[in-house]
Amino acid sequence: MMQNQIPPCSDAYLEAQNDCRWDKSVENFTIRDNSSVRVGILGLGNLGAATATLLLAAGYPVSAWTRSARANDQKNARISYYHDREGLFELAREAQILICLLPLTDETAGLLDARLFATLPPGAAIINVARGGHVVDVDLIQALDSGHLSAAVLDVFHEEPLPKISPLWTHPRVRVFPHVSSVTQRQEAVRQMKENFDSMDAGTDIPRDRFIVRSRGY
């Protein structure tokens, strides 16, 4: 394994535990500081911004790609910002871990494809907790099989539940989660709905982050 690669998500430590094997070689006897692993975030809405804040606090360098350019007063000086198609590939060239938190629109469908995977550094890993439609599954499997990508953590899929015949279930470099990265809390949802109703009833403004812009698709 190359030293700059992210270890594959093969649950190697769990395998060692199941074998009662004391194995310090699982990570090739290397220790990587968080500051040496750049994380790229696609989408900087509520979830993306919260993710960036946590990663920065843990010492990771963070890059973010957004639909359009951010005004200077909306930027965090510790984040490298990119936008538009060219900016997407600039971010990808340096992102050792790529996290997708985009809304699914006509513009973002199939965004995680062979070209984007090939632009990532060798040994990079991806995490998709947005929508399954962002990923071209065949391209992802090919990138994993070739070794160019070391791992994929997937919480969302084109078809859910994920069909049992899907090769993603058994791929050694893939971790499958059943769309649980963010679960709507019933009490919180009801509270927010009541707040929206009360605001409309009283003729007061609803917080803008609860609006959907139909022309954008989210």
Side-chain angles (χ1 to χ4, degrees), residues 69-75:
R70 289 289 177 99
N72 288 333
D73 61 354
Q74 295 179 319
K75 291 183 177 181

Side-chain angles (χ1 to χ4, degrees), residues 192-207:
Q192 191 174 112
M193 291 168 62
K194 183 178 184 305
E195 285 182 358
N196 293 344
F197 178 84
D198 290 344
S199 294
M200 289 188 293
D201 192 46
T204 56
D205 291 337
I206 296 174

Side-chain angles (χ1 to χ4, degrees), residues 166-198:
S166 171
L168 295 171
W169 280 114
T170 55
H171 199 288
R173 294 178 180 268
V174 175
R175 281 294 303 272
V176 170
F177 290 88
H179 204 146
V180 292
S181 60
S182 180
V183 179
T184 300
Q185 300 299 314
R186 200 170 297 175
Q187 288 183 330
E188 174 60 22
V190 171
R191 182 192 65 78
Q192 191 174 112
M193 291 168 62
K194 183 178 184 305
E195 285 182 358
N196 293 344
F197 178 84
D198 290 344

Side-chain angles (χ1 to χ4, degrees), residues 114 117-118 138-150 173:
F117 298 146
V138 172
D139 293 353
L140 174 61
I141 291 171
Q142 289 179 347
L144 291 166
D145 286 345
S146 72
H148 184 73
L149 293 184
S150 64
R173 294 178 180 268

